[in-house]
Amino acid sequence: AQVLPRAADIDREDRFPRDVYGQMAQLGLFGTSLPEAAGGAGFDTVSLCLAMEELARCSGAVGNAFAIPVEAALFLHHNGNASQRALIPQILDGSLLMATAMTEPDYGSDTANITTSAKRTDEGWVINGTKAWVTLGGVADRIMVFARTGEQPGHRGISCFMVNAHQTGVIRGKNEDLLGMHGLED
């Protein structure tokens, strides 16, 4: 009831609807398929798809925005370290906005051939590369960045880094007018 009346405005204004995002969080939607023991609802994939389908029926942008925290919470639950998993409650309550940077301009979604690299230094890791089509990238607080860390072929040489999107060195590109998706950036 909240998304459909706002859909045209979200597209026209091309601004991230923080209030709608917050309402989805309050309803517990971001934990739809996260196990109950991890703070989610524990629903199956069909239930997740039904929720996304209903949101996307009203607004493709809102449906797309819904997928990002769901994906991030699941990814961190299954693959994150303890400090990363500790971020899940903030993802679920909508106070921490996430994005995933995997796609690259020259390789699209061919993750096995990404060229973004990460090299260990005395101060930590330095990531170099360009990502494209990062949904919520313009508003995210943290970005899960996939980068090549090894020489192994395909996906075996790729790692995922949790990047604070507000730190020096993170450059957010211009908004792209793709697939009619609007309202995902500020």
Side-chain angles (χ1 to χ4, degrees), residues 56-67:
R57 184 178 61 79
C58 297
S59 167
V62 172
N64 205 10
F66 162 75

Side-chain angles (χ1 to χ4, degrees), residues 12-185:
R12 183 175 30 263
E13 295 169 10
D14 198 15
R15 302 212 27 106
F16 179 62
R18 288 184 185 274
D19 60 326
V20 173
Y21 190 87
Q23 291 169 359
M24 290 190 298
Q26 286 177 349
L27 290 171
L29 292 178
F30 300 153
T32 301
S33 58
L34 192 67
E36 288 182 61
F43 293 157
D44 62 9
T45 304
V46 172
S47 299
L48 170 67
C49 291
L50 289 171
M52 185 171 190
E53 182 178 26
E54 284 302 306
L55 289 167
R57 184 178 61 79
C58 297
S59 167
V62 172
N64 205 10
F66 162 75
I68 303 306
V70 171
E71 168 190 281
L74 280 172
F75 185 84
L76 294 178
H77 173 70
H78 291 296
N79 302 295
N81 60 34
S83 66
Q84 293 164 342
R85 284 192 303 275
L87 299 173
I88 293 173
Q90 295 170 63
I91 295 168
L92 298 182
D93 73 15
S95 63
L96 184 70
L97 274 75
M98 299 291 294
T100 303
M102 188 178 308
T103 304
E104 294 185 357
D106 293 334
Y107 292 97
S109 296
D110 182 7
T111 306
N113 286 308
I114 63 173
T115 59
T116 296
S117 65
K119 303 289 183 202
R120 188 186 301 267
T121 69
D122 292 338
E123 289 85 40
W125 289 87
V126 175
I127 302 171
N128 284 301
T130 300
K131 297 297 184 176
W133 311 296
V134 180
T135 302
L136 299 184
V139 295
D141 299 303
R142 299 284 186 284
I143 304 172
M144 296 185 300
V145 179
F146 288 79
R148 187 157 298 285
T149 54
E151 298 300 320
Q152 302 93 329
H155 70 280
R156 297 192 196 295
I158 296 173
S159 299
C160 181
F161 295 86
M162 178 74 70
V163 175
N164 180 338
H166 305 294
Q167 72 185 4
T168 303
V170 175
I171 300 167
R172 300 178 200 237
K174 65 180 177 69
N175 293 347
E176 298 286 341
D177 188 15
L178 300 171
L179 302 172
M181 291 293 168
H182 301 280
L184 297 175
E185 310 292 336

